[in-house]
Amino acid sequence: MNKLDFDNPIRQQTFSLTDLVEAQLEGCFGPGLKELMSMAEIFDARKIILTGCGDSYGAAIAMAPVIAKYCDCFGVQAMRTVEFTRFLSKADIGIGEPNSPLVIAISAGGGTARICEALEKANQVGAFSILLTNNGESRAAKAAKRVYVVGTPPFPNDHPGLRSYFGSLVGLIAFASRMGHVRGTLPPTGPAQFKKAITDYVKSYEGVMERIDDQMFALAQRWQAFERFDFIGDDVEYGSAFFGAAKFLECNGCTVSVDDSEDWCHINYFIKNPETIGTVFMADRHAPSFGRVVESANSARRIGRPVLVVTNADAKLFDEGVEVCRLPDT
């Protein structure tokens, strides 16, 4: 069976990332970032709320810890747009200081009605609203106080979105580096170091993409009849699990569930017919919960689950029968 007979937009976008990274960094770290907020406005921000729909919400989950680490704020929260627009009161938002909280709505296309509603609410209650997008002329752009265009270059087959998700991730990292530089949590060389780290890591995939592609194509043939999938990840890796589940649903129309390693052991562990549920763990060996993820993945295999672990760790840590996809280490 020839894997190229099954080529598709997601695969094409994945292979494009090693070429995209430099242009994406230029778009995110360019003049638009410095012009986005004045130094005074950056110092005013006391709390940051990230919101988005679908992939954009996954980007918010993944990058909230990065922003919290480098932006020197009293809180960074990733929220679903419906929670922000309909359930968060003005008192709970924390209005009372100028230009705070800072609300960043993420939407590559900028046409989502809920995103527009979130920006309008932020403006109405006196928050500082920013749209992170790839479309500076969108409906949402007109609703935001400021617009941060990440500049993801066009691509022939960019739906379902993957390059746009990458652009949102890099944009949020760039924003964190800018804010951290101004507020003194990063040295003057910080943004340049971030750019180099991102470039080096993405480029490190050039030597392994074919190996990963072959491995996943073989696995897809064994798993092609499955209609149910679990995606499990903790903290930042929960964002990766969320995004992976979203792509499975968009591309395959299958049933998906997203959970963390602890909760999965208490709930989805007990779903019947375990041999029919594709189970994917995102496992970062540097994460504090890595031991729990290893335990959960091995437990899933022992009850008969087909298990894939996407990790930068040694495959020998996992039980026989667990499919381990090794990623370059950071």
Side-chain angles (χ1 to χ4, degrees):
M1 186 177 293
N2 185 355
K3 68 180 181 181
L4 294 181
D5 291 339
F6 300 89
D7 194 20
N8 58 79
I10 286 289
R11 180 179 182 273
Q12 292 163 16
Q13 290 179 74
T14 302
F15 272 88
S16 79
L17 294 182
T18 53
D19 293 326
L20 168 64
V21 61
E22 291 173 350
Q24 187 63 77
L25 287 168
E26 184 64 28
C28 291
F29 283 83
L33 178 60
K34 290 186 178 180
E35 297 167 1
L36 185 64
M37 299 176 72
S38 69
M39 293 181 68
E41 289 166 342
I42 288 175
F43 277 112
D44 281 343
R46 290 291 178 267
K47 179 180 179 180
I48 299 176
I49 296 173
L50 307 175
T51 188
C53 300
D55 296 353
S56 297
Y57 177 61
I61 295 171
M63 289 297 106
V66 176
I67 294 174
K69 181 173 182 178
Y70 293 108
C71 289
D72 187 32
C73 290
F74 292 126
V76 178
Q77 187 175 7
M79 298 188 69
R80 296 179 185 273
T81 50
V82 68
E83 294 172 351
F84 176 78
T85 57
R86 302 304 178 95
F87 294 96
L88 190 65
S89 69
K90 182 175 180 178
D92 290 333
I93 290 176
I95 301 298
E97 298 172 323
N99 299 320
S100 184
L102 174 60
V103 177
I104 303 177
I106 308 161
S107 176
T112 306
R114 191 74 75 192
I115 291 294
C116 296
E117 184 181 11
L119 290 164
E120 290 164 359
K121 175 174 180 175
N123 294 336
Q124 289 167 3
V125 300
F128 192 103
S129 64
I130 292 177
L131 172 68
L132 187 152
T133 185
N134 203 43
N135 184 359
E137 303 300 321
S138 63
R139 175 186 167 194
K142 294 177 174 61
K145 183 173 183 178
R146 301 283 168 78
V147 180
Y148 177 23
V149 178
V150 297
T152 307
F155 192 74
N157 296 310
D158 59 0
H159 289 87
L162 185 145
R163 286 164 63 94
S164 56
Y165 178 73
F166 181 74
S168 296
L169 295 178
V170 176
L172 290 169
I173 293 172
F175 178 84
S177 76
R178 168 64 177 164
M179 200 165 183
H181 180 198
V182 171
R183 297 179 73 139
T185 58
L186 286 171
T189 57
Q193 290 175 322
F194 273 46
K195 290 174 68 175
K196 184 179 187 306
I198 294 168
T199 301
D200 290 349
Y201 185 64
V202 175
K203 291 291 187 181
S204 73
Y205 279 78
E206 290 179 331
V208 301
M209 284 299 296
E210 286 293 343
R211 183 261 297 169
I212 293 173
D213 192 43
D214 289 342
Q215 182 185 8
M216 292 301 97
F217 183 68
L219 182 65
Q221 293 174 65
R222 300 199 298 273
W223 283 21
Q224 63 179 310
F226 295 165
E227 294 289 341
R228 298 183 295 167
F229 293 86
D230 270 348
F231 285 77
I232 300 101
D234 297 343
D235 194 55
V236 172
E237 296 305 318
Y238 186 90
S240 297
F242 184 94
F243 179 75
K247 296 304 108 174
F248 260 61
L249 181 57
E250 283 185 282
C251 295
N252 306 323
C254 52
T255 300
V256 296
S257 175
V258 186
D259 213 339
D260 60 62
S261 62
E262 182 68 25
D263 199 57
W264 182 86
C265 289
H266 290 275
I267 300 177
N268 281 19
Y269 176 94
F270 298 101
I271 296 176
K272 67 179 181 180
N273 301 324
E275 70 282 357
T276 66
I277 308 170
T279 308
V280 182
F281 287 87
M282 306 294 182
D284 176 13
R285 73 181 184 89
H286 303 292
S289 70
F290 177 65
R292 182 54 162 157
V293 176
V294 172
E295 181 182 23
S296 299
N298 288 338
S299 295
R301 184 66 199 124
R302 290 165 193 168
I303 62 172
R305 290 268 195 135
V307 176
L308 166 66
V309 177
V310 181
T311 186
N312 50 4
D314 191 334
K316 295 179 181 178
L317 294 170
F318 301 94
D319 285 359
E320 184 178 356
V322 172
E323 184 83 24
V324 177
C325 180
R326 287 288 307 279
L327 303 183
D329 200 7
T330 52

